[in-house]
Amino acid sequence: MRRNIISMVARAKSGHLGGSLSAVEIMVEIYFNQMNIEASNVLDKSRDKFVLSKGHASPLLYAVLAEKGLLTQEDLLTFRFIDSKIQGHPNMNYVDAIDMSTGSLGQGLSAAVGMSLANKIDNNNFKTFVLIGDGESQEGQIWEAAMAASHYKLNNLCAVLDFNGLQIDGDITKVMNPTPFDTKFEAFGWNVIILVDSYDFKQIGKAFNQAKLCLDKPSIIIAHTIKGKGVSFMENNAAWHGTAPNDEQSSIALSELGGNV
Ligand SMILES: Cc1ncc(C[n+]2csc(CCOP(=O)(O)OP(=O)(O)O)c2C)c(N)n1
Ligand SMILES: [Mg+2]
Protein backbone atom coordinates (compact mmCIF):
# COMPACT_ATOMS: atom_id res chain seq x y z
CA MET A 1 0.00 0.00 0.00
CA ARG A 2 2.81 2.41 0.80
CA ARG A 3 4.32 1.78 -2.62
CA ASN A 4 0.99 2.53 -4.27
CA ILE A 5 0.65 5.72 -2.20
CA ILE A 6 4.08 6.96 -3.31
CA SER A 7 3.46 6.03 -6.95
CA MET A 8 0.05 7.73 -7.08
CA VAL A 9 1.34 11.03 -5.72
CA ALA A 10 4.52 10.90 -7.82
CA ARG A 11 2.54 10.26 -11.03
CA ALA A 12 0.03 13.05 -10.27
CA LYS A 13 2.88 15.35 -9.13
CA SER A 14 0.46 16.36 -6.40
CA GLY A 15 -1.06 14.91 -3.24
CA HIS A 16 -0.58 14.22 0.44
CA LEU A 17 2.00 11.65 1.45
CA GLY A 18 2.75 12.24 5.14
CA GLY A 19 -0.75 11.74 6.48
CA SER A 20 -1.38 8.84 4.10
CA LEU A 21 1.71 6.90 5.15
CA SER A 22 1.02 7.44 8.86
CA ALA A 23 -2.11 5.27 9.13
CA VAL A 24 -1.59 2.36 6.70
CA GLU A 25 -1.75 -0.46 9.27
CA ILE A 26 -4.79 1.12 10.95
CA MET A 27 -6.64 1.20 7.63
CA VAL A 28 -5.69 -2.42 6.94
CA GLU A 29 -7.14 -3.38 10.32
CA ILE A 30 -10.34 -1.44 9.66
CA TYR A 31 -10.91 -2.77 6.13
CA PHE A 32 -9.70 -6.34 6.64
CA ASN A 33 -10.60 -7.14 10.24
CA GLN A 34 -13.30 -4.73 11.40
CA MET A 35 -15.61 -3.74 8.56
CA ASN A 36 -17.91 -6.11 6.71
CA ILE A 37 -17.27 -4.54 3.31
CA GLU A 38 -16.62 -6.65 0.21
CA ALA A 39 -17.21 -6.24 -3.53
CA SER A 40 -20.34 -8.38 -3.10
CA ASN A 41 -22.03 -6.12 -0.50
CA VAL A 42 -20.68 -2.71 -1.39
CA LEU A 43 -24.13 -1.41 -2.39
CA ASP A 44 -25.82 -2.90 0.67
CA LYS A 45 -26.99 0.00 2.85
CA SER A 46 -26.66 -2.09 5.99
CA ARG A 47 -22.94 -2.79 5.62
CA ASP A 48 -20.41 -1.05 7.88
CA LYS A 49 -19.32 2.47 6.93
CA PHE A 50 -16.04 4.38 6.89
CA VAL A 51 -15.43 8.12 6.75
CA LEU A 52 -11.99 9.54 5.99
CA SER A 53 -12.48 12.80 7.85
CA LYS A 54 -8.89 13.80 7.01
CA GLY A 55 -9.84 13.60 3.33
CA HIS A 56 -6.49 14.86 2.05
CA ALA A 57 -5.13 11.39 2.90
CA SER A 58 -7.12 10.03 -0.04
CA PRO A 59 -4.18 8.00 -1.45
CA LEU A 60 -4.38 5.93 1.74
CA LEU A 61 -8.09 5.25 1.23
CA TYR A 62 -7.62 4.44 -2.47
CA ALA A 63 -4.71 2.12 -1.65
CA VAL A 64 -6.74 0.08 0.83
CA LEU A 65 -9.77 -0.02 -1.48
CA ALA A 66 -7.50 -1.42 -4.20
CA GLU A 67 -6.26 -4.13 -1.81
CA LYS A 68 -9.92 -5.01 -1.13
CA GLY A 69 -10.71 -5.20 -4.85
CA LEU A 70 -13.03 -2.19 -4.56
CA LEU A 71 -10.82 -0.16 -6.90
CA THR A 72 -8.46 -1.52 -9.55
CA GLN A 73 -4.74 -0.93 -10.04
CA GLU A 74 -5.75 0.85 -13.29
CA ASP A 75 -7.94 3.21 -11.25
CA LEU A 76 -4.93 4.07 -9.09
CA LEU A 77 -3.04 5.19 -12.21
CA THR A 78 -5.59 8.00 -12.67
CA PHE A 79 -5.21 9.62 -9.25
CA ARG A 80 -5.97 13.37 -9.46
CA PHE A 81 -6.42 13.29 -13.26
CA ILE A 82 -9.29 15.30 -14.75
CA ASP A 83 -12.42 13.13 -14.88
CA SER A 84 -10.84 10.40 -12.75
CA LYS A 85 -13.08 8.85 -10.12
CA ILE A 86 -10.27 9.10 -7.62
CA GLN A 87 -9.80 12.80 -7.16
CA GLY A 88 -7.48 14.59 -4.73
CA HIS A 89 -10.19 14.26 -2.10
CA PRO A 90 -12.64 11.34 -1.86
CA ASN A 91 -15.93 11.73 -3.73
CA MET A 92 -18.79 9.41 -2.77
CA ASN A 93 -20.54 10.09 -6.07
CA TYR A 94 -17.78 8.44 -8.09
CA VAL A 95 -16.92 5.31 -6.08
CA ASP A 96 -19.51 2.99 -4.48
CA ALA A 97 -17.15 2.03 -1.67
CA ILE A 98 -16.63 5.63 -0.58
CA ASP A 99 -19.20 6.49 2.07
CA MET A 100 -18.66 10.23 2.42
CA SER A 101 -17.09 13.02 0.38
CA THR A 102 -14.50 14.71 2.55
CA GLY A 103 -11.61 17.13 2.40
CA SER A 104 -12.95 20.15 4.20
CA LEU A 105 -11.46 19.34 7.59
CA GLY A 106 -13.71 19.07 10.61
CA GLN A 107 -16.79 17.74 8.84
CA GLY A 108 -16.21 14.00 8.66
CA LEU A 109 -16.83 13.24 12.32
CA SER A 110 -20.21 15.00 12.08
CA ALA A 111 -21.08 12.89 9.04
CA ALA A 112 -20.10 9.74 10.91
CA VAL A 113 -22.22 10.79 13.88
CA GLY A 114 -25.19 11.28 11.55
CA MET A 115 -24.69 7.83 10.01
CA SER A 116 -24.42 6.21 13.43
CA LEU A 117 -27.53 7.98 14.69
CA ALA A 118 -29.54 7.07 11.58
CA ASN A 119 -28.37 3.51 12.01
CA LYS A 120 -29.80 3.42 15.54
CA ILE A 121 -33.08 5.07 14.53
CA ASP A 122 -33.50 2.50 11.73
CA ASN A 123 -32.64 -0.38 14.08
CA ASN A 124 -29.71 -1.43 11.92
CA ASN A 125 -26.58 -2.75 13.50
CA PHE A 126 -23.79 -1.62 11.22
CA LYS A 127 -20.76 0.16 12.62
CA THR A 128 -19.27 3.45 11.52
CA PHE A 129 -15.53 4.02 11.56
CA VAL A 130 -13.94 7.43 11.07
CA LEU A 131 -10.32 8.56 10.82
CA ILE A 132 -9.63 12.10 11.99
CA GLY A 133 -6.40 14.11 12.00
CA ASP A 134 -4.78 15.66 15.06
CA GLY A 135 -4.44 19.03 13.34
CA GLU A 136 -7.99 18.60 12.12
CA SER A 137 -9.06 18.34 15.76
CA GLN A 138 -8.43 22.05 16.16
CA GLU A 139 -11.73 22.53 14.31
CA GLY A 140 -14.64 23.44 16.59
CA GLN A 141 -16.97 21.18 14.62
CA ILE A 142 -15.03 18.13 15.84
CA TRP A 143 -16.03 18.95 19.39
CA GLU A 144 -19.67 19.65 18.54
CA ALA A 145 -19.75 16.22 16.91
CA ALA A 146 -17.96 14.68 19.90
CA MET A 147 -20.61 16.14 22.20
CA ALA A 148 -23.46 14.84 20.03
CA ALA A 149 -21.95 11.35 19.79
CA SER A 150 -21.91 10.88 23.54
CA HIS A 151 -25.28 12.59 23.99
CA TYR A 152 -26.84 9.98 21.70
CA LYS A 153 -24.73 7.15 23.23
CA LEU A 154 -23.40 6.13 19.83
CA ASN A 155 -21.73 2.88 20.83
CA ASN A 156 -21.82 1.93 17.12
CA LEU A 157 -19.26 4.65 16.33
CA CYS A 158 -15.51 4.08 16.48
CA ALA A 159 -13.20 7.00 15.74
CA VAL A 160 -9.46 6.79 15.28
CA LEU A 161 -7.33 9.86 15.86
CA ASP A 162 -4.16 9.85 13.76
CA PHE A 163 -1.94 11.45 16.40
CA ASN A 164 1.19 12.12 14.36
CA GLY A 165 1.93 15.47 16.02
CA LEU A 166 2.21 17.40 12.75
CA GLN A 167 -0.08 19.39 10.52
CA ILE A 168 0.54 21.40 7.35
CA ASP A 169 2.45 24.15 9.19
CA GLY A 170 4.37 21.93 11.61
CA ASP A 171 4.00 20.90 15.25
CA ILE A 172 0.31 20.83 16.25
CA THR A 173 1.12 22.09 19.74
CA LYS A 174 2.76 25.21 18.31
CA VAL A 175 0.07 26.04 15.73
CA MET A 176 -2.91 25.68 18.11
CA ASN A 177 -2.44 23.11 20.81
CA PRO A 178 -5.34 20.61 20.73
CA THR A 179 -3.80 18.28 23.36
CA PRO A 180 -4.40 16.55 25.70
CA PHE A 181 -6.73 14.41 23.58
CA ASP A 182 -7.39 11.64 26.11
CA THR A 183 -8.85 13.73 28.92
CA LYS A 184 -10.68 16.00 26.44
CA PHE A 185 -12.49 13.10 24.78
CA GLU A 186 -13.14 11.55 28.19
CA ALA A 187 -14.70 14.82 29.33
CA PHE A 188 -16.86 14.75 26.20
CA GLY A 189 -18.16 11.34 27.32
CA TRP A 190 -16.16 9.01 25.08
CA ASN A 191 -14.53 5.68 25.78
CA VAL A 192 -10.86 6.50 25.17
CA ILE A 193 -8.33 3.86 24.13
CA ILE A 194 -4.64 4.67 23.73
CA LEU A 195 -2.79 2.89 20.94
CA VAL A 196 0.92 3.22 21.68
CA ASP A 197 2.34 1.46 18.61
CA SER A 198 0.15 2.00 15.57
CA TYR A 199 2.36 -0.27 13.45
CA ASP A 200 1.91 -3.40 15.54
CA PHE A 201 -1.10 -5.37 14.32
CA LYS A 202 -1.50 -7.12 17.68
CA GLN A 203 -1.81 -3.80 19.52
CA ILE A 204 -4.06 -2.35 16.82
CA GLY A 205 -6.40 -5.34 16.94
CA LYS A 206 -6.51 -5.19 20.72
CA ALA A 207 -7.48 -1.50 20.61
CA PHE A 208 -10.39 -2.16 18.22
CA ASN A 209 -11.54 -5.10 20.31
CA GLN A 210 -11.53 -2.90 23.40
CA ALA A 211 -13.71 -0.43 21.51
CA LYS A 212 -16.17 -3.21 20.67
CA LEU A 213 -16.57 -4.07 24.34
CA CYS A 214 -17.86 -0.61 25.22
CA LEU A 215 -21.65 -0.70 25.01
CA ASP A 216 -22.78 2.69 26.26
CA LYS A 217 -20.50 5.26 24.62
CA PRO A 218 -18.75 6.09 21.35
CA SER A 219 -15.10 4.98 21.33
CA ILE A 220 -12.01 6.76 20.14
CA ILE A 221 -8.64 5.12 19.58
CA ILE A 222 -5.91 7.70 20.06
CA ALA A 223 -3.28 6.28 17.76
CA HIS A 224 0.31 7.40 18.19
CA THR A 225 1.63 7.52 14.64
CA ILE A 226 4.55 8.81 12.62
CA LYS A 227 3.80 11.15 9.76
CA GLY A 228 5.52 9.82 6.62
CA LYS A 229 6.00 6.38 8.21
CA GLY A 230 8.16 4.00 6.17
CA VAL A 231 10.24 6.47 4.15
CA SER A 232 13.29 7.74 6.07
CA PHE A 233 13.36 11.27 4.68
CA MET A 234 9.60 11.76 5.01
CA GLU A 235 9.20 10.54 8.59
CA ASN A 236 8.28 13.27 11.10
CA ASN A 237 8.86 15.92 8.46
CA ALA A 238 5.99 18.37 7.87
CA ALA A 239 7.58 19.40 4.57
CA TRP A 240 6.21 16.11 3.18
CA HIS A 241 2.65 16.90 4.24
CA GLY A 242 1.54 17.79 0.72
CA THR A 243 4.64 17.63 -1.46
CA ALA A 244 5.04 15.28 -4.40
CA PRO A 245 8.36 13.49 -4.76
CA ASN A 246 10.43 13.99 -7.91
CA ASP A 247 11.60 10.93 -9.86
CA GLU A 248 14.74 10.47 -7.79
CA GLN A 249 12.98 10.88 -4.43
CA SER A 250 10.25 8.57 -5.59
CA SER A 251 12.65 5.81 -6.57
CA ILE A 252 14.56 6.13 -3.27
CA ALA A 253 11.24 5.90 -1.40
CA LEU A 254 10.15 2.86 -3.39
CA SER A 255 13.46 1.11 -2.83
CA GLU A 256 13.30 1.82 0.91
CA LEU A 257 9.84 0.27 0.89
CA GLY A 258 11.32 -2.78 -0.73
CA GLY A 259 9.80 -2.71 -4.16
CA ASN A 260 9.67 -1.17 -7.57
CA VAL A 261 5.99 -0.38 -8.24
C1 LIG B 1 -11.38 23.37 6.56
C2 LIG B 1 -10.02 23.12 6.00
N1 LIG B 1 -9.02 23.99 6.28
C3 LIG B 1 -7.78 23.79 5.77
C4 LIG B 1 -7.54 22.73 4.95
C5 LIG B 1 -6.17 22.52 4.33
N2 LIG B 1 -5.46 21.43 4.96
C6 LIG B 1 -5.37 20.22 4.37
S1 LIG B 1 -4.55 19.10 5.31
C7 LIG B 1 -4.27 20.23 6.53
C8 LIG B 1 -3.55 19.85 7.79
C9 LIG B 1 -4.17 18.67 8.48
O1 LIG B 1 -3.37 18.20 9.52
P1 LIG B 1 -3.74 16.87 10.25
O2 LIG B 1 -5.18 16.87 10.59
O3 LIG B 1 -2.81 16.74 11.40
O4 LIG B 1 -3.51 15.76 9.13
P2 LIG B 1 -2.31 14.73 8.91
O5 LIG B 1 -1.18 15.10 9.80
O6 LIG B 1 -2.85 13.40 9.28
O7 LIG B 1 -1.97 14.82 7.46
C10 LIG B 1 -4.82 21.46 6.19
C11 LIG B 1 -4.75 22.68 7.03
C12 LIG B 1 -8.62 21.84 4.67
N3 LIG B 1 -8.47 20.77 3.89
N4 LIG B 1 -9.85 22.06 5.22
MG1 LIG C 1 -1.36 15.37 11.89
Side-chain angles (χ1 to χ4, degrees):
M1 280 174 57
R2 286 193 167 88
R3 289 197 293 269
N4 272 336
I5 289 166
I6 297 287
S7 300
M8 271 186 264
V9 174
R11 192 178 303 107
K13 297 189 169 50
S14 170
H16 296 82
L17 287 175
S20 293
L21 295 170
S22 72
V24 170
E25 287 76 2
I26 289 166
M27 288 291 271
V28 169
E29 174 69 26
I30 291 174
Y31 272 86
F32 284 86
N33 289 334
Q34 301 296 327
M35 284 177 79
N36 69 345
I37 183 170
E38 304 294 339
S40 56
N41 74 351
V42 73
L43 293 172
D44 180 349
K45 287 207 167 96
S46 65
R47 69 163 168 78
D48 295 335
K49 306 288 187 303
F50 174 78
V51 178
L52 182 68
S53 196
K54 39 170 272 182
H56 58 282
S58 60
L60 169 61
L61 177 60
Y62 302 147
V64 80
L65 292 181
E67 294 301 318
K68 286 290 291 189
L70 298 164
L71 283 174
T72 64
Q73 285 293 325
E74 290 70 45
D75 291 330
L76 298 190
L77 297 174
T78 68
F79 174 60
R80 279 185 178 249
F81 285 10
I82 288 174
D83 293 333
S84 165
K85 60 184 177 188
I86 59 162
Q87 288 298 318
H89 296 80
N91 189 322
M92 65 192 290
N93 299 306
Y94 300 160
V95 180
D96 292 333
I98 294 178
D99 297 323
M100 182 50 60
S101 301
T102 50
S104 187
L105 295 171
Q107 298 179 351
L109 184 59
S110 296
V113 165
M115 290 172 184
S116 306
L117 187 55
N119 174 20
K120 277 196 177 286
I121 291 167
D122 292 346
N123 286 318
N124 282 323
N125 64 355
F126 66 78
K127 289 206 168 309
T128 308
F129 297 88
V130 52
L131 183 66
I132 61 183
D134 51 2
E136 178 184 17
S137 303
Q138 295 157 347
E139 292 273 4
Q141 189 176 350
I142 290 288
W143 300 100
E144 294 176 54
M147 186 163 54
S150 70
H151 178 83
Y152 290 111
K153 298 190 172 41
L154 299 179
N155 60 342
N156 53 355
L157 175 64
C158 181
V160 181
L161 179 74
D162 188 342
F163 190 7
N164 57 32
L166 293 175
Q167 61 189 98
I168 197 167
D169 287 322
D171 183 337
I172 57 163
T173 64
K174 295 207 172 103
V175 178
M176 175 63 68
N177 190 355
T179 67
F181 288 117
D182 50 356
T183 48
K184 263 195 194 100
F185 273 100
E186 258 161 37
F188 274 76
W190 286 57
N191 174 40
V192 174
I193 297 150
I194 308 293
L195 174 55
V196 177
D197 183 347
S198 300
Y199 306 106
D200 177 78
F201 278 108
K202 266 203 190 124
Q203 280 193 40
I204 299 171
K206 213 171 131 196
F208 279 92
N209 290 338
Q210 254 176 278
K212 262 187 224 155
L213 293 175
C214 179
L215 301 180
D216 57 347
K217 294 173 180 183
S219 289
I220 182 157
I221 296 171
I222 298 182
H224 289 267
T225 55
I226 295 167
K227 199 152 173 161
K229 172 74 181 177
V231 179
S232 59
F233 55 97
M234 294 182 186
E235 286 193 0
N236 283 318
N237 185 351
W240 286 98
H241 169 81
T243 308
N246 62 28
D247 289 347
E248 193 194 342
Q249 291 163 329
S250 166
S251 67
I252 296 170
L254 291 173
S255 73
E256 283 191 14
L257 291 168
N260 232 345
V261 177

